[in-house]
Amino acid sequence: MDQLSAYLLHTYPNHYFAGKDDCNLVIWGTRGITRHTPKLCTLLLGFEYPPYQMDENAMESLLSTRLSDDLTCSKLYAYGKSISEQLGLPFC
């Protein structure tokens, strides 16, 4: 599967993207009798940082840098935002 994903990413870089170990888009929902109902869209990011030395401004700066420097994360963020707007879901 890793080879297929690498091939698709290389061949279709503007149309294919997949999560990574520390960056994934998750759509949460409920399952009914006949269909699934999405309720929330989240972008899950992993960071390495000193937790007792970070304030809110430093964390926002770290997040902003991550989204601007990591192409996969920025694509997943844009896609998650688009999905949440189209479906009227909260996005966090």
Side-chain angles (χ1 to χ4, degrees), residues 7-24:
Y7 169 79
L8 292 171
L9 183 59
H10 177 73
T11 307
Y12 307 103
N14 295 323
H15 302 288
Y16 175 80
F17 49 94
K20 303 191 299 189
D21 288 342
D22 60 351
C23 180
N24 288 284

Side-chain angles (χ1 to χ4, degrees), residues 18-28 40-47 63 66-67 70 72-74 76-77 80 91-92:
K20 303 191 299 189
D21 288 342
D22 60 351
C23 180
N24 288 284
L25 184 66
V26 178
I27 299 174
W28 306 88
L40 173 69
C41 186
T42 58
L43 181 65
L44 305 177
L45 297 174
F47 292 98
L63 176 61
R66 178 72 182 272
L67 290 176
D70 189 322
T72 298
C73 289
S74 64
L76 287 174
Y77 175 81
F91 180 58
C92 53

Side-chain angles (χ1 to χ4, degrees), residues 25-70:
L25 184 66
V26 178
I27 299 174
W28 306 88
T30 58
R31 182 171 56 175
I33 294 172
T34 59
R35 60 180 249 190
H36 298 280
T37 306
K39 299 290 186 184
L40 173 69
C41 186
T42 58
L43 181 65
L44 305 177
L45 297 174
F47 292 98
E48 289 189 30
Y49 65 95
Y52 299 110
Q53 299 173 5
M54 296 290 285
D55 62 9
E56 189 172 327
N57 291 334
M59 186 58 79
E60 286 182 24
S61 176
L62 186 63
L63 176 61
S64 177
T65 300
R66 178 72 182 272
L67 290 176
S68 66
D69 292 350
D70 189 322

